[in-house]
Amino acid sequence: MAQWTTEGILDAKTRFQGSSILVDTNTMIAKANTVSSVISDVERTFQELQRVVNKTASYWIGIAGDHHRKMFQAEQDDITFILNRLKEHPEDLKLMAGNFELTERNLTELNRQLRSDYI
């Protein structure tokens, strides 16, 4: 994993100073919905995998079967945690899009209130 250094942060700040990012909130929401759908598919696949692994207890009897089921079960909490965390990202993206839209509306309204007869 890359580590940010103070020098690297200052360099990035200098390079991007004065830059702006144009945001299309409709695209953000669409992408968030797509990601949510993919995460739901992964979650359904994981649930099906859980069902299949649990079902092996009826025919895969013995130390090897028990060992593999325990190995799978040992990872279930981590996988569930990861899926729950992943589900937060699209919601955060939608929240950001809503904040961008609200801010833009508020700024537009403030600009309308400014006098335009100075010149």
Side-chain angles (χ1 to χ4, degrees):
M1 180 180 212
Q3 294 286 327
W4 282 96
T5 63
T6 303
E7 184 178 295
I9 293 171
L10 291 174
D11 180 51
K13 183 179 175 184
T14 302
R15 281 188 292 151
F16 295 113
Q17 191 170 12
S19 298
S20 62
I21 299 173
L22 300 178
V23 176
D24 179 7
T25 54
N26 291 328
T27 301
M28 288 175 71
I29 292 170
K31 294 294 182 183
N33 289 335
T34 300
V35 170
S36 291
S37 176
V38 170
I39 292 168
S40 293
D41 290 345
V42 170
E43 197 168 33
R44 278 190 296 280
T45 301
F46 178 62
Q47 289 170 351
E48 177 63 16
L49 183 58
Q50 286 177 308
R51 190 186 66 73
V52 169
V53 168
N54 290 335
K55 198 173 166 183
T56 64
S58 65
Y59 59 84
W60 192 6
I61 300 169
I63 296 172
D66 292 342
H67 175 72
H68 283 85
R69 282 186 291 278
K70 284 180 186 175
M71 284 177 50
F72 179 78
Q73 290 168 352
E75 301 300 325
Q76 283 182 334
D77 289 342
D78 288 340
I79 293 169
T80 301
F81 176 78
I82 290 167
L83 288 171
N84 287 334
R85 290 297 308 268
L86 285 173
K87 285 191 263 184
E88 293 173 9
H89 294 294
E91 297 308 314
D92 290 345
L93 197 57
K94 290 177 186 177
L95 181 63
M96 288 168 50
N99 287 339
F100 289 151
E101 288 176 349
L102 178 63
T103 300
E104 186 173 10
R105 277 195 305 273
N106 289 343
L107 289 174
T108 300
E109 183 57 36
L110 285 172
N111 283 336
R112 284 189 186 129
Q113 295 172 8
L114 294 175
R115 291 178 50 188
S116 61
D117 60 349
Y118 287 115
I119 297 178

